[in-house]
Amino acid sequence: MKNKYLLLLSSVLFDLLAAIFSFVIAIKTVGDSFFLNGKNLFYFTLFVWPALLVLSFYFFRIYSVLWRFSNIYDSLRIFVATAVAVSATFISQMAVFNNSYAFDVVFVCYLLLCLITLVFRFFIRTVLIRRGEDTKNNNSSPSNLAGNIMIIGAGSGASMISKELSRNKQHNNCKIRCGIDDNKKKKG
């Protein structure tokens, strides 16, 4: 449980720093001065943009995703959540200052932040979680789970369980025979 909160806190802090970094690098890449549109707009954006990004990530449940079981749709949510944060930042800049940064600064900031965020999540998935699994599996005894398995419920949780059972070498004696669900649209 402690690791879960530590991972959440590190993700939020990383996203805040990544937002600031992407904003500063976007301005430098495009070649604008930091204060081209005024000091107040720069400082306002420097504080509002990371806050709106974290709120958007929270709203789109980026922080509640189990990155160990993530898929392409979770990655697409990062693009959408970042786009919402960029739009909210633009709207807040226009509402307060009636001025905003150029489109190329905003676009570079968006792309850079999406890239940084995806790389960080990929790092969490491949390095930290896999390393923890390897040490946990080396210290544990072999599984007693064997035979045919029926999964009750055929939603995303059942999909994660089936992937885990097929991926984990400790469960080689298990075969998923069926998944049942009360939703008649789920057949296969």
Side-chain angles (χ1 to χ4, degrees):
M1 193 65 137
K2 188 186 283 187
N3 289 340
K4 178 182 173 184
Y5 292 118
L6 183 63
L7 187 62
L8 173 67
L9 180 63
S10 66
S11 293
V12 170
L13 288 175
F14 180 84
D15 291 336
L16 288 170
L17 293 174
I20 293 169
F21 177 77
S22 67
F23 175 61
V24 170
I25 295 298
I27 291 175
K28 281 297 193 186
T29 302
V30 171
D32 285 348
S33 168
F34 288 120
F35 306 123
L36 178 68
N37 295 334
K39 283 185 179 181
N40 291 339
L41 180 64
F42 174 77
Y43 290 124
F44 176 82
T45 306
L46 199 61
F47 290 105
V48 169
W49 161 236
L52 289 174
L53 179 78
V54 169
L55 286 174
S56 179
F57 277 16
Y58 177 77
F59 177 74
F60 282 94
R61 302 175 50 95
I62 302 296
Y63 296 123
S64 65
V65 170
L66 296 173
W67 287 101
R68 177 178 170 192
F69 301 111
S70 64
N71 55 29
I72 190 70
Y73 298 111
D74 296 322
S75 300
L76 291 175
R77 285 195 311 183
I78 289 175
F79 284 101
V80 173
T82 306
V84 167
V86 165
S87 302
T89 302
F90 172 78
I91 291 169
S92 63
Q93 288 170 342
M94 293 304 286
V96 174
F97 296 102
N98 201 22
N99 194 5
S100 175
Y101 282 95
F103 177 76
D104 47 353
V105 172
V106 174
F107 188 69
V108 169
C109 185
Y110 169 77
L111 290 179
L112 187 60
L113 185 65
C114 287
L115 177 70
I116 292 169
T117 305
L118 286 172
V119 167
F120 178 69
R121 275 17 183 227
F122 184 74
F123 175 77
I124 289 173
R125 179 180 178 157
T126 57
V127 176
L128 298 177
I129 294 174
R130 300 288 185 213
R131 185 179 55 156
E133 279 181 358
D134 292 342
T135 58
K136 182 175 67 174
N137 289 340
N138 291 339
N139 297 332
S140 63
S141 61
S143 173
N144 293 330
L145 189 61
N148 297 330
I149 296 177
M150 175 177 63
I151 299 176
I152 300 175
S156 59
S159 174
M160 287 188 283
I161 290 171
S162 66
K163 285 179 188 175
E164 180 68 17
L165 286 174
S166 63
R167 188 181 62 79
N168 196 331
K169 294 176 183 171
Q170 284 185 334
H171 305 297
N172 284 340
N173 298 331
C174 302
K175 287 196 174 191
I176 299 174
R177 295 295 180 182
C178 69
I180 60 170
D181 199 292
D182 58 351
N183 187 347
K184 295 181 182 188
K185 293 180 182 177
K186 296 180 182 178
K187 292 182 182 180

